[in-house]
């Protein structure tokens, strides 16, 4: 077997290794599942000890509640009594105790930024943190300057998190009788469609531009209605993005619209909240005995491309509680002809998801009917294609549904990276029946001489003639070898958290540097 607990391969609530940002989960006691927690919060029990009262909490008061039997935590200015949640926390009590009696916002963002704590802990809300009086900041701009308008809109200057003003994007707009064209000057070379995310519903338009680790947001309530479909043109070399909207009525617009709260802001991506849109389930097919491929249709009024190596979050309301899980999109199949870049299906998102018999979230997913909708977030992730483009040897270590980020990575590597000499997938599974897309992978290995596939089973049948065992230093030293002594190598690893953590350590022990190893975690 692989050197992980059986229940963690993969962990029932940690699909595709992405939960907990690399923190290992701990076994929960019977009766302490997510569904059990939801039932408890709806039981009417006083979860705060305050009999329904909300109070203002000072720092001194918060600090007093720093024990397992009396634990308060502050997240974004709100204080929660997490004492009753201790035994239900998948990361264990010790992880919660790191923030006991303090402001745990930073720790929470490192580990669980995608989790809707407001929904999960709403019955544990104690109240707000008391606000310290601070000196009023000096005015930087005059009142008259603030009132200057750019094409009818207030130019709110919000450059946050230390971003350089020289890199801050700007925008303008113009119109014809039938069209509205918004031009965003990103000041970013090599701008591409994956860095532009657009949504509009009714008259609300939201456009997000990714600039390295920063995010520029254009968000307005349009002056008049527009058609659902829109065009996006990108001048990649100069970093100019054009958004072309069709007017519903051929009227002259005096202004583009009213700016919303986050309009014209530029901040670190990690500081910006997740945005979701409703996507429709249009197809669901079996991949293996317990894994299915879900095809979700994006709204016509959405422009979204999920970059290679990045994931999205799915959000469902289960028993009145908002539950969120991360998944890495795949392709509908593995292309076998890599002579030219494959045509990207920009209208759909494909997700390969293992359905757990006791998994609250995946069971709800499996019960979705064709035509039902589910909320899908903007993409997130730290992987950069440039990591592959400078490599000569690419090794992909995957366990179970940790295979999912490798799908697009394989496609990109074999299609667009000419300097690669070796691309090897080392795929860990329990049994032959668990191997995802086995036939496609074997066909690909026959088709492209650069690609090699190695299946390793932890619980094979007696007639299995392939490799068997667990992830180990000796196994990795056998299969992960540079094609030349000085060749540039990239090793990507993905699976349940213990598998990933052990793999990273083994690779380090074998002499591979941190820059040569990329673990996929959310």
């Amino acid at each position: 077997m692989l050197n992980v607990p059986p229940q963690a391969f993969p962990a029932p609530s940690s699909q595709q290794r992405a939960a907990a940002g690399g923190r290992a989960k701990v076994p929960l006691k019977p009766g302490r599942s997510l569904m059990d927690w939801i039932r408890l919060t709806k039981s009417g029990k006083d979860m705060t000890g305050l009999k329904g009262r909300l109070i203002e909490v000072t720092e001194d008061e918060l600090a007093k509640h720093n024990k397992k039997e009396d634990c308060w935590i502050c997240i974004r200015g709100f204080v929660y009594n997490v004492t009753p949640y201790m035994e239900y926390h998948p990361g264990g009590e010790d992880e919660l105790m790191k923030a006991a009696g303090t402001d745990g916002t930073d720790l929470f963002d490192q580990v669980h930024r995608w989790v809707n704590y407001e929904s999960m802990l709403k019955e544990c809300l104690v109240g707000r943190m008391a606000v310290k009086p601070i000196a009023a900041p000096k005015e930087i701009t005059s009142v008259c300057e603030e009132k200057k308008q750019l094409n009818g809109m207030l130019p709110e200057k919000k450059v946050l998190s230390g971003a350089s003003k020289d890199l801050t994007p700007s925008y303008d707009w113009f119109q014809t009788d039938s069209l509205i064209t918004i031009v965003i000057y990103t000041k970013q070379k090599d701008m591409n469609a994956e860095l532009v995310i657009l949504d509009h519903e009714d008259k609300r338009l939201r456009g997000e531009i990714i600039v390295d680790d920063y995010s520029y947001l254009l968000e307005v309530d349009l002056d008049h209605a527009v058609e659902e479909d829109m065009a996006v043109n990108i001048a990649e070399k100069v970093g100019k993005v054009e958004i072309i909207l069709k007017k519903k009525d051929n009227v002259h617009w005096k202004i583009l619209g009213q700016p919303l709260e986050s309009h014209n802001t530029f901040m670190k991506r990690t500081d910006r909240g997740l945005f979701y849109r409703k996507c429709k389930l249009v197809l669901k097919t079996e991949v293996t005995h317990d894994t299915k491929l879900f095809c979700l249709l994006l709204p016509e009024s959405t422009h979204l491309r999920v970059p290679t190596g990045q994931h999205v979050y799915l959000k469902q309301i289960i028993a009145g509680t908002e539950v969120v899980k991360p998944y890495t999109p795949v392709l509908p199949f593995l292309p076998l002809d890599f002579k030219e870049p494959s045509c990207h299906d920009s209208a759909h998102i494909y997700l390969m998801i293992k359905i757990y018999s006791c998994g609250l979230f995946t069971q709800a997913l499996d019960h979705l009917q064709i035509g039902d909708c589910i909320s899908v977030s903007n993409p997130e992730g730290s992987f950069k294609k440039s990591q592959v483009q400078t490599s000569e040897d690419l090794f992909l270590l995957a366990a179970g549904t940790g295979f999912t980020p490798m799908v697009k990575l394989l496609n990109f590597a074999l299609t667009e990276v000419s300097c690669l000499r070796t691309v090897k997938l080392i795929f860990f599974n329990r049994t032959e029946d668990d191997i995802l897309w086995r036939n496609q992978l074997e066909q690909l290995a026959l088709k492209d001489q650069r690609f090699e596939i190695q299946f390793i089973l932890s619980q094979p049948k007696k007639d299995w003639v392939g490799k068997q065992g667990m992830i180990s230093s000796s196994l990795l030293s056998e299969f992960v070898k540079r094609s030349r002594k000085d060749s540039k190598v990239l090793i990507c690893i993905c699976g349940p958290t213990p598998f990933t953590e052990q793999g990273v350590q083994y690779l380090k022990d074998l002499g591979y540097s941190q820059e040569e190893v990329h673990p996929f975690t959310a």
Side-chain angles (χ1 to χ4, degrees):
M1 290 184 64
L2 289 176
N3 191 19
V4 294
Q7 72 271 19
F9 186 72
S13 58
S14 183
Q15 293 84 7
Q16 300 165 340
R17 87 275 136 217
R23 269 72 171 177
K25 290 176 174 289
V26 298
L28 297 175
K29 297 178 183 177
R32 296 298 185 270
S33 68
L34 175 59
M35 194 67 236
D36 293 318
W37 172 252
I38 293 173
R39 291 193 189 101
L40 178 61
T41 61
K42 296 183 182 303
S43 66
K45 183 178 178 179
D46 182 8
M47 308 288 279
T48 64
L50 298 173
K51 299 180 180 180
R53 293 183 298 115
L54 294 179
I55 63 173
E56 190 174 70
V57 182
T58 63
E59 285 187 6
D60 291 342
E61 180 63 28
L62 176 64
K64 296 176 184 177
H65 303 270
N66 61 352
K67 303 177 183 65
K68 286 185 179 181
E69 61 275 10
D70 179 20
C71 182
W72 290 10
I73 292 174
C74 174
I75 304 176
R76 293 191 177 88
F78 290 92
V79 178
Y80 297 89
N81 182 350
V82 299
T83 312
Y85 184 60
M86 282 284 179
E87 293 186 346
Y88 296 83
H89 184 234
E93 296 179 359
D94 291 343
E95 196 70 24
L96 278 179
M97 287 304 298
K98 289 179 181 178
T102 68
D103 187 335
T105 304
D106 288 344
L107 181 63
F108 176 85
D109 285 345
Q110 291 172 22
V111 183
H112 295 310
R113 192 173 80 85
W114 45 273
V115 173
N116 190 329
Y117 64 92
E118 294 167 304
S119 177
M120 291 286 291
L121 299 176
K122 59 186 176 183
E123 299 302 325
C124 299
L125 179 63
V126 172
R128 286 180 178 270
M129 283 295 294
V131 179
K132 286 184 176 181
I134 56 174
K138 294 180 179 180
E139 291 293 332
I140 299 175
T141 55
S142 65
V143 174
C144 61
E145 183 179 352
E146 283 295 321
K147 290 184 178 180
K148 287 180 182 177
Q149 293 193 12
L150 172 64
N151 288 320
M153 301 195 68
L154 294 176
E156 300 177 13
K157 298 179 180 178
K158 297 181 182 177
V159 184
L160 305 181
S161 301
S164 169
K165 290 184 178 180
D166 293 337
L167 297 177
T168 307
S170 60
Y171 78 97
D172 203 346
W173 71 281
F174 58 89
Q175 63 184 305
T176 64
D177 289 342
S178 59
L179 300 175
I180 295 291
T181 300
I182 303 169
V183 183
I184 300 175
Y185 305 96
T186 69
K187 304 177 185 178
Q188 172 87 348
K189 292 182 179 180
D190 299 323
M191 178 59 53
N192 63 69
E194 293 180 344
L195 304 177
V196 180
I197 307 168
L198 299 172
D199 294 271
H200 78 80
E201 185 177 5
D202 298 327
K203 290 168 60 180
R204 180 172 178 173
L205 174 69
R206 186 185 192 277
E208 186 170 356
I209 309 294
I210 307 303
V211 181
D212 294 326
D213 295 329
Y214 289 84
S215 158
Y216 173 75
L217 188 64
L218 181 149
E219 192 172 28
V220 296
D221 188 4
L222 296 170
D223 200 38
H224 296 279
V226 295
E227 302 289 349
E228 277 195 5
D229 60 316
M230 58 184 168
V232 180
N233 298 326
I234 301 172
E236 295 187 6
K237 293 183 178 180
V238 296
K240 184 174 74 172
V241 178
E242 287 185 350
I243 306 166
I244 303 172
L245 307 172
K246 297 178 183 178
K247 295 179 179 179
K248 274 194 173 179
D249 301 306
N250 292 343
V251 297
H252 182 78
W253 291 26
K254 294 182 179 179
I255 61 172
L256 180 59
Q258 295 299 322
L260 299 176
E261 183 180 359
S262 297
H263 172 66
N264 208 22
T265 55
F266 188 49
M267 63 177 68
K268 280 196 170 182
R269 293 179 67 185
T270 52
D271 292 336
R272 197 177 296 284
L274 289 173
F275 181 82
Y276 291 85
R277 77 277 301 145
K278 292 281 188 180
C279 295
K280 184 183 295 184
L281 177 64
V282 295
L283 187 65
K284 182 167 56 174
T285 56
E286 287 192 2
V287 180
T288 67
H289 62 99
D290 61 2
T291 302
K292 296 184 179 180
L293 186 67
F294 292 76
C295 177
L296 303 176
L297 176 65
L298 288 163
E300 187 177 1
S301 56
T302 292
H303 170 96
L304 173 64
R305 312 282 187 272
V306 181
T308 297
Q310 296 199 10
H311 55 271
V312 297
Y313 297 99
L314 301 186
K315 181 170 67 174
Q316 298 187 92
I317 305 297
I318 301 176
T321 297
E322 194 174 276
V323 185
V324 178
K325 294 290 179 184
Y327 294 95
T328 302
V330 299
L331 301 172
F333 53 86
L334 274 178
L336 298 180
D337 186 354
F338 289 104
K339 292 179 181 178
E340 296 180 359
S342 59
C343 180
H344 294 287
D345 180 355
S346 58
H348 300 90
I349 291 178
Y350 295 88
L351 298 169
M352 193 181 290
I353 298 174
K354 183 172 181 177
I355 308 300
Y356 295 92
S357 58
C358 298
L360 182 66
F361 195 86
T362 59
Q363 283 295 318
L365 274 181
D366 197 32
H367 283 86
L368 290 176
Q369 302 298 309
I370 301 301
D372 288 347
C373 290
I374 187 168
S375 297
V376 180
S377 79
N378 285 357
E380 289 212 336
S382 61
F383 184 80
K384 300 286 193 301
K385 286 182 178 179
S386 58
Q387 296 171 255
V388 184
Q389 291 168 324
T390 57
S391 299
E392 296 166 289
D393 300 327
L394 175 64
F395 296 94
L396 310 175
L397 312 181
T401 45
F403 169 65
T404 54
M406 310 309 181
V407 174
K408 284 190 175 183
L409 191 48
L410 269 176
N411 180 46
F412 172 70
L414 294 175
T415 302
E416 301 184 44
V417 187
S418 58
C419 61
L420 279 169
R421 287 193 291 265
T422 304
V423 179
K424 182 182 288 188
L425 171 64
I426 304 162
F427 198 0
F428 296 82
N429 286 278
R430 279 180 172 169
T431 70
E432 286 186 79
D433 293 338
D434 295 321
I435 300 174
L436 303 168
W437 282 359
R438 178 178 181 177
N439 290 338
Q440 293 187 50
L441 289 167
E442 290 176 335
Q443 289 179 49
L444 179 56
L446 293 173
K447 191 84 173 180
D448 195 309
Q449 63 181 5
R450 294 171 297 168
F451 177 62
E452 180 182 342
I453 174 69
Q454 179 69 53
F455 298 115
I456 301 176
L457 302 184
S458 61
Q459 298 178 6
K461 293 181 180 178
K462 291 182 180 180
D463 58 352
W464 173 252
V465 295
K467 192 75 177 178
Q468 65 183 72
M470 63 185 71
I471 189 168
S472 64
S473 181
S474 60
L475 186 149
L476 293 182
S477 65
E478 179 181 352
F479 291 109
V480 181
K481 296 178 180 178
R482 301 179 194 268
S483 59
R484 296 178 184 173
K485 186 177 180 180
D486 59 348
S487 62
K488 295 180 180 178
V489 65
L490 176 65
I491 307 168
C492 297
I493 182 168
C494 187
T497 300
F499 169 89
T500 302
E501 290 179 343
Q502 290 172 16
V504 169
Q505 184 59 51
Y506 292 143
L507 291 167
K508 182 180 178 181
D509 294 342
L510 289 171
Y512 293 98
S513 68
Q514 186 175 344
E515 291 71 28
E516 293 175 320
V517 179
H518 182 91
F520 283 103
T521 57

